[in-house]
Amino acid sequence: MIKAIIFDLWDTIGSKGFAINKLFKEHFKIEESPDYLKNYEESIQLNKWVSKEEMAKNFLGKFNLSTTKTNIQYVINTFDMGAKNSILFKGIKELLATLKQKYKLGLISNTTSFEIVFVDKYDIRKYFDQIVCSHDIGKLKPSREIFEEMTKRLKCLLNECLFIDDSKHNIEKAKEYGMKTILFENVAKLKKELNLLRVSI
C-alpha cells in the first residue's frame, strides 16, 4: 500500500531549461568520463555554501581548473541563469495539491542551497511534508541513506513509498531498495501511470 509519494525536483517538477553540468563540461573543455556527473555533484551539491563564490571555487578546484575571477564569475552566472529561467511544469502544482489530500509527499533533490529556493518561487513548499536535499545531509541521490532519511522523516517504510524521477539510474536504485517507482517523462504520462498504480488523483 502506498502511503507516501516522493518526487525528484529537476526535470520532474520543474526545469532550468538546460543542464548546468553539461554547460560546464563544454565551456571548460572537461574530458568525457563516466565519473563526471558524480564528481560534478560532489563538488557543489554536498555542502551548504557560505557564498556562490565559495561553491564556484570548489567546483573549479575539483576539476583542476584555474580559480580566476572570470572562471568564478562564469560559474556563478550560470547558476543565476538557471534560477532565473527555471519553470514549473504545467499541471504539477494541481497534481501536488490533489495528492496532498490522501498521501504524504516528499521531495528529494541533488541540488544546491541556492537552487532549492525554486520551491518558494512557485509556492509549492506547502505541498511537501518533508524536503530532503543533498546539501542538507551530505548524501547524494540515489544513495540508500538519502531515501532512508526521507522515510524516517515521513514515518513510513521504503516499500510504502512511490518514487518519481526522470533518471533511469535513480529509478533502478530505488527499485532495489524496495520502492515503487515511476520514470517521469511528462505530466500527462505521469497521471496515467499513477492511475495504473491506483493512486488517487
Side-chain angles (χ1 to χ4, degrees), residues 150-172:
M150 175 59 80
T151 55
K152 177 183 175 183
R153 294 186 188 189
L154 290 176
K155 296 181 173 58
C156 59
L157 304 173
L158 286 168
N159 62 13
E160 294 174 327
C161 295
L162 167 63
F163 177 57
I164 302 166
D165 196 304
D166 66 296
S167 162
K168 288 183 180 179
H169 176 61
N170 291 345
I171 287 295
E172 287 168 1

Side-chain angles (χ1 to χ4, degrees), residues 168-197:
K168 288 183 180 179
H169 176 61
N170 291 345
I171 287 295
E172 287 168 1
K173 296 302 288 186
K175 283 181 181 176
E176 287 180 20
Y177 306 148
M179 304 173 78
K180 296 174 183 63
T181 62
I182 292 177
L183 179 65
F184 180 84
E185 293 181 33
N186 56 63
V187 175
K189 188 172 182 183
L190 172 58
K191 289 180 179 179
K192 290 179 182 177
E193 298 204 38
L194 287 170
N195 279 322
L196 289 175
L197 290 175

Side-chain angles (χ1 to χ4, degrees), residues 7 91-100 105 164 187 190-191 194 200-201:
F7 285 83
I92 279 288
K93 184 178 282 193
E94 294 79 3
L95 179 60
L96 291 174
T98 300
L99 293 172
K100 174 75 172 172
L105 298 185
I164 302 166
V187 175
L190 172 58
K191 289 180 179 179
L194 287 170
S200 300
I201 57 171

